[in-house]
Amino acid sequence: MRMARSGTCDTREVVLQRDGQDVVHDDQCRAVSGTWYSEYDGLTIDSASRIDIDHVVPLKEAWRSGASEWSTPERRAFANDLTHSQLIAVSAGSNRGKGDKDPGNWRPSLESYWCTYSRAWISVKAIYQLTANPAEAAALSEMLDTCTV
């Protein structure tokens, strides 16, 4: 994925700064220290190299559910969306386990995050007018049942 730049910082570095604690950058805007809490699995990580920036709705899933009809600039905007709930810093292991799966095939191992995750997924799909398959919708409904408010 090509990352958009903000000054000398690319999208990855912006998310690392936003989602981390006590993040220090070098003169190239690379995170050299800090800590991050991975909402998917509850791990606290102290090395940026062990953090992935996850697309809540993976790029391949977006492609399968409507993004194949978008222009290149629209796909780039989706991939680098810092405004909506689309990008999150998580442990590399949880992100790689998720891959391009939708909620019908993958959920965060930390059940206490299911409500937030399902709401973020639904929000991103609605904003970008992407479709949902029946298994995905059923899993999202189950995860929404964990919401207390």
Side-chain angles (χ1 to χ4, degrees):
M1 167 185 68
R2 183 171 166 237
M3 302 295 270
R5 293 187 106 35
S6 173
T8 60
C9 299
D10 64 18
T11 304
R12 172 182 169 75
E13 299 303 336
V14 171
V15 175
L16 286 172
Q17 177 69 41
R18 182 196 70 198
D19 291 0
Q21 296 291 317
D22 304 318
V23 178
V24 176
H25 292 275
D26 66 12
D27 61 353
Q28 300 294 310
C29 199
R30 293 177 297 228
V32 293
S33 66
T35 58
W36 295 267
Y37 179 74
S38 175
E39 299 282 2
Y40 289 173
D41 51 17
L43 299 176
T44 298
I45 298 166
D46 63 3
S47 172
S49 66
R50 293 179 35 224
I51 293 289
D52 280 357
I53 306 306
D54 180 51
H55 291 88
V56 171
V57 175
L59 302 177
K60 189 171 182 181
E61 167 59 24
W63 183 267
R64 289 188 295 248
S65 56
S68 62
E69 303 297 319
W70 297 348
S71 67
T72 299
E74 288 171 317
R75 287 191 299 273
R76 187 172 294 123
F78 177 81
N80 294 289
D81 185 351
L82 292 166
T83 304
H84 303 100
S85 304
Q86 173 60 342
L87 297 170
I88 182 173
V90 296
S91 70
S94 67
N95 186 48
R96 292 168 193 170
K98 175 184 174 191
D100 66 354
K101 298 175 184 100
D102 69 28
N105 296 300
W106 184 90
R107 299 175 190 194
S109 61
L110 199 60
E111 284 189 38
S112 61
Y113 192 67
W114 285 7
C115 177
T116 301
Y117 181 76
S118 60
R119 286 177 173 173
W121 183 282
I122 291 165
S123 174
V124 169
K125 285 258 181 147
I127 288 164
Y128 286 96
Q129 300 178 341
L130 298 170
T131 62
N133 66 50
E136 173 187 350
L140 288 165
S141 178
E142 288 177 30
M143 286 192 291
L144 285 172
D145 285 345
T146 67
C147 299
T148 56
V149 283

